[in-house]
């Protein structure tokens, strides 16, 4: 039986004006922005009118991405498109968590606000960088990273793309070794070495943030970045704190969802990065995205006919 998965965008896809059309055409989407503004005043204005520079500050990026992603997912639900499974890429996993019903959207939003602050603070502790390595298999990237000084594979995006993070002083030599091996390393414009050991202080901080939260069984099956498997009851606090300092196993998540019956993926939130990755992982599936009025209408039409 065919199934639908909503997948929630990752950091780096943000852009000025994101989510504004959704708030204009969908009452369910607007309600998400209203919720966010009540907790973190100015969130909507930052999404709609903030500069590119404002939106790339991690402590802004994460709550802003969350609200646009949750708004897009709720707009789809309002239009009669309901998922069977959920997954989010990095910060997108917190958006998926808030949509899943495992915690309230309000608690998930407070969590993502603090997560962004903690990861920003960790990024400020040491100079680091990230790059996307293409044209090399993950095993080769792991080998090259192991030979470098504190460089780590952090996002297993597809068979031919692995993102790495490491010390700024090591990245030039690492990129050179990638080129010598026949690959290409593309620098990423991010604020820190996300999903690497450099985020350990953020992981420790999240333990305290997560401690008072009460988790329920989600309405929709939710996949973990850390394990690439569905969450089990009792594992949320451990995996959500570990997530920031461990790799995102995106390719395996998508493969596991397909094996579980998913044949339609809808990326919710800014951009279509995940849509492209999913089509490279499995060209046989349908991959759509929703970020504005036109893409919302197109996705609903594609699913409902």
């Amino acid at each position: 039986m065919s199934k639908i998965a909503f997948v929630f965008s990752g950091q780096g896809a943000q852009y000025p004006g994101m989510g504004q059309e959704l708030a204009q055409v969908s009452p369910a989407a607007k309600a998400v922005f209203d919720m966010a503004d009540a907790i973190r005043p100015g969130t909507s204005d930052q999404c709609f009118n903030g500069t590119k520079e404002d939106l790339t500050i991690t402590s802004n990026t994460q709550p802003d991405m969350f609200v646009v992603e949750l708004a897009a997912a709720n707009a789809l639900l309002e239009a009669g498109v309901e998922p069977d499974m959920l997954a989010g890429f990095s910060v997108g996993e917190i958006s998926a968590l808030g949509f899943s019903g495992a915690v309230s959207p309000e608690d998930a939003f407070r969590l993502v606000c603090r997560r962004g602050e903690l990861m920003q603070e960790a990024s400020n502790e040491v100079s680091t960088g990230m790059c996307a390595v293409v044209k090399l298999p993950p095993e080769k990237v792991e080998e090259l990273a192991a030979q470098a000084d504190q460089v780590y594979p952090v996002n297993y995006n597809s068979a031919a793309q692995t993102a790495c993070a490491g010390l700024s002083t090591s990245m030039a030599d690492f990129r050179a070794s990638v080129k010598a091996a026949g690959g290409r390393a593309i620098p990423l414009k991010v604020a820190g070495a996300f999903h690497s050991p450099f985020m350990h202080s953020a992981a420790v901080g999240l333990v305290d943030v997560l401690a008072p939260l009460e988790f329920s069984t989600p309405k929709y099956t939710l996949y973990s970045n850390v394990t690439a498997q569905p969450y089990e009851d009792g594992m949320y606090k451990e995996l959500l704190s570990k997530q920031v300092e461990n790799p995102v196993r995106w390719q395996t998540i998508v493969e596991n969802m397909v094996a579980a019956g998913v044949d339609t993926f809808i990326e919710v939130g800014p951009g279509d990065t995940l849509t492209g990755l999913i089509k490279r992982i499995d060209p046989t599936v349908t991959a759509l995205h929703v970020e504005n009025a036109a893409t919302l209408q197109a996705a609903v039409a594609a699913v409902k006919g």
Side-chain angles (χ1 to χ4, degrees), residues 222-301:
L222 174 64
Y223 280 74
S224 163
N225 282 192
V226 176
T227 66
Q229 298 291 337
Y231 273 93
E232 297 178 4
D233 289 346
M235 295 299 293
Y236 290 96
K237 294 179 183 181
E238 179 184 352
L239 292 178
L240 287 169
S241 60
K242 284 184 174 181
Q243 191 238 41
V244 298
E245 61 175 343
N246 280 275
V248 175
R249 302 194 175 277
W250 188 251
Q251 179 180 353
T252 307
I253 289 172
V254 173
E255 291 170 344
N256 287 345
M257 285 182 145
V258 172
V262 172
D263 62 3
T264 301
F265 290 83
I266 307 178
E267 178 177 2
V268 290
D272 59 359
T273 299
L274 298 183
T275 306
L277 290 176
I278 289 165
K279 289 299 290 182
R280 285 194 283 277
I281 293 167
D282 190 336
T284 70
V285 303
T286 297
L288 308 164
H289 78 283
V290 171
E291 61 179 322
N292 53 31
T295 51
L296 172 63
Q297 184 178 24
V300 172

Side-chain angles (χ1 to χ4, degrees), residues 95 107 115 157 169 182 208 211 213 226 229 245 267 297 304:
S95 311
D107 280 346
R115 181 182 187 271
N157 295 336
T169 52
D208 292 335
L213 293 184
V226 176
Q229 298 291 337
E245 61 175 343
E267 178 177 2
Q297 184 178 24
K304 299 182 72 175

Side-chain angles (χ1 to χ4, degrees), residues 207-230:
V207 171
D208 292 335
V209 178
L210 289 159
L213 293 184
E214 296 291 336
F215 290 85
S216 305
T217 301
K219 183 176 181 181
Y220 312 106
T221 302
L222 174 64
Y223 280 74
S224 163
N225 282 192
V226 176
T227 66
Q229 298 291 337

Side-chain angles (χ1 to χ4, degrees), residues 1 11-12 15 19 23 31 83 97 99 143 153 181 199 213 228 245 249 261:
M1 182 178 176
Q11 195 164 328
Y15 57 82
L97 179 77
F99 183 78
E143 177 187 326
M199 289 290 115
L213 293 184
E245 61 175 343
R249 302 194 175 277

Side-chain angles (χ1 to χ4, degrees), residues 84-85 95 133 175 206 215 290:
D84 299 283
M85 302 179 195
S95 311
V133 178
R175 290 194 297 269
L206 278 171
F215 290 85
V290 171

